[in-house]
Amino acid sequence: MLPCPLPVFKGKNCRFDSCPSHESPPSSLLPSLLSELGVWTALLFSVESRLQKGQLLSLVPSQLAAFCCFSENQELKIMSGKPILHYFNGRGRMESVRWLLAAAGVEFEEKILKSAEDFENLVKGGNLMYQQVPMVEIDGLNLVQTRAILKYIAAKYNLYGKDLKEKALIDMYVEGMRDLNEMIMHYPLCYPGEEEKNLNFILERATERFFPVYEKALKSHGKNYLVGNQMSWADIQLFEAILMVEELKSDILSAFPKLQEFKARISKLPRIQKFLQPGSQRKPPMDDQAVEEATKIFNLEKGLYVKHKGVILADF
Ligand SMILES: N[C@@H](CCC(=O)N[C@@H](CS)C(=O)NCC(=O)O)C(=O)O
């Protein structure tokens, strides 16, 4: 097995000669493919320096094809490095994506939107399906819709269970935590004077509705992770949720011994430890400045939450 020379292939399952997310092109297309790959020549020679003499030739064409994949319309796409995250410089909807990539050991770049103009330009670029971010460039795709992005990453990096039933369980756990996450994300945007009411509501939901589910699951099967016996997207989402709720109330886990153990265990995983270190791409909680920035970029002041008997249907 050859070592993977490209950052994009450094995922958990990456094998330079059988990268899971790539389809080899038909051999009839190899001549055009090879000319498209001119840009990679220098890179390949640097790869060669890591291989034994003559091995480069044996890379062509089969392994060379691993540098490429095809979009749905069979347009050739050259793989070009790390995923690129398009968002503003705050947690918001992108933070779970950052967490999941970090847990999968995938390096990523961020294109930070600093102003409403940056956002407008991105919209004008035509790559945002719904004129909204988060958007993640990965494997030649412009992925939007937070759940779709997370699902793609979870599936790609083996964090999405081993069968349909495990996937369904992961989905159910994740959806609960996303509900909690949404409330916490919107908390800094609540109306002046409604902070305490909102905070109490979030803490009540966390302790009465969501955390008991995960406590019970961990207790009943006695395993280290929520689903199966290996880390999944659900564990990362839970870990992120625990940290976020603790930021609102530091002793929130006092009645949840299994969640305390879970948190201690997950914190020790090297990739998680790395992401928790200062200076990582993890974003701090939203402070007033970040709220103001998001408000300007996304024009949040232009509307009110649309409520129907107290349930938020949409926000603008
Ligand atoms: N359902 C979408 C919602 C995306 C969304 O509301 N994004 C906000 C920023 S966090 C946005 O782009 N707002 C600008 C707009 O809707 O025009 C998702 O989960 O990604």
Side-chain angles (χ1 to χ4, degrees):
M1 196 68 70
L2 296 168
C4 177
L6 291 178
V8 71
F9 292 154
K10 278 186 183 157
K12 207 169 158 192
N13 295 316
C14 174
R15 299 288 180 273
F16 179 38
D17 54 355
S18 62
C19 213
S21 60
H22 306 108
E23 286 173 17
S24 291
S27 55
S28 60
L29 279 169
L30 272 172
S32 65
L33 185 152
L34 287 170
S35 71
E36 291 278 352
L37 282 174
V39 68
W40 291 102
T41 307
L43 174 70
L44 283 170
F45 280 103
S46 80
V47 172
E48 191 190 22
S49 68
R50 295 166 62 181
L51 304 173
Q52 284 174 1
K53 201 164 186 289
Q55 258 189 312
L56 179 62
L57 279 178
S58 67
L59 282 177
V60 181
S62 60
Q63 270 86 2
L64 200 53
F67 287 124
C68 306
C69 66
F70 285 83
S71 64
E72 274 163 18
N73 58 8
Q74 289 300 298
E75 191 186 316
L76 179 67
K77 303 256 176 186
I78 308 291
M79 302 304 300
S80 62
K82 304 172 187 176
I84 302 174
L85 279 47
H86 296 261
Y87 204 59
F88 84 107
N89 195 22
R91 285 186 183 175
R93 291 186 162 89
M94 190 63 103
E95 192 66 358
S96 300
V97 177
R98 297 185 186 105
W99 264 109
L100 200 56
L101 286 169
V106 180
E107 291 180 12
F108 56 90
E109 285 172 21
E110 299 201 67
K111 292 248 169 83
I112 301 288
L113 303 171
K114 295 198 175 102
S115 62
E117 199 190 351
D118 284 352
F119 183 46
E120 253 170 55
N121 287 336
L122 187 63
V123 171
K124 279 185 200 149
N127 289 330
L128 302 181
M129 188 181 278
Y130 300 108
Q131 299 95 46
Q132 289 180 315
V133 286
M135 193 271 269
V136 175
E137 288 181 57
I138 184 169
D139 297 341
L141 300 166
N142 296 311
L143 289 183
V144 296
Q145 289 293 352
T146 317
R147 283 169 172 80
I149 298 170
L150 290 166
K151 241 175 220 193
Y152 184 90
I153 295 167
K156 178 167 172 148
Y157 296 104
N158 254 353
L159 294 164
Y160 203 10
K162 68 173 177 347
D163 56 31
L164 205 50
K165 286 186 178 168
E166 284 196 359
K167 280 185 182 31
L169 203 50
I170 290 169
D171 280 341
M172 288 193 286
Y173 288 145
V174 164
E175 285 304 315
M177 286 176 273
R178 303 241 21 105
D179 287 351
L180 183 57
N181 192 307
E182 287 265 317
M183 286 187 241
I184 298 172
M185 184 181 75
H186 284 112
Y187 172 57
L189 300 172
C190 69
Y191 292 115
E194 291 195 0
E195 291 87 354
E196 199 183 332
K197 192 170 83 178
N198 280 287
L199 178 61
N200 290 338
F201 182 76
I202 293 168
L203 297 177
E204 190 259 333
R205 279 286 192 263
T207 50
E208 303 292 324
R209 177 169 294 182
F210 297 111
F211 285 174
V213 172
Y214 317 124
E215 176 79 11
K216 189 174 161 199
L218 290 167
K219 195 170 174 183
S220 63
H221 61 44
K223 302 203 170 116
N224 285 350
Y225 301 105
L226 278 173
V227 179
N229 208 8
Q230 66 170 41
M231 189 169 79
S232 75
W233 172 22
D235 299 299
I236 306 306
Q237 197 77 63
L238 176 56
F239 187 70
E240 185 194 355
I242 290 173
L243 296 187
M244 280 199 304
V245 183
E246 280 187 331
E247 284 167 355
L248 301 176
K249 189 171 187 295
S250 57
D251 65 350
I252 195 83
L253 289 190
S254 56
F256 301 99
K258 287 288 159 196
L259 291 186
Q260 289 175 32
E261 287 169 24
F262 171 86
K263 184 192 158 197
R265 212 166 36 240
I266 302 287
S267 322
K268 290 196 190 97
L269 300 174
R271 287 170 183 171
I272 302 294
Q273 247 179 12
K274 192 172 162 203
F275 198 56
L276 289 169
Q277 291 298 315
S280 81
Q281 284 160 297
R282 185 180 176 217
K283 305 292 176 206
M286 293 282 283
D287 59 11
D288 290 348
Q289 196 190 326
V291 171
E292 201 181 312
E293 211 172 289
T295 304
K296 281 192 190 139
I297 296 173
F298 302 121
N299 201 5
L300 297 178
E301 254 153 17
K302 75 175 188 259
L304 300 172
Y305 289 149
V306 178
K307 290 186 180 178
H308 180 259
K309 292 195 176 169
V311 178
I312 296 171
L313 296 179
D315 58 274
F316 298 99

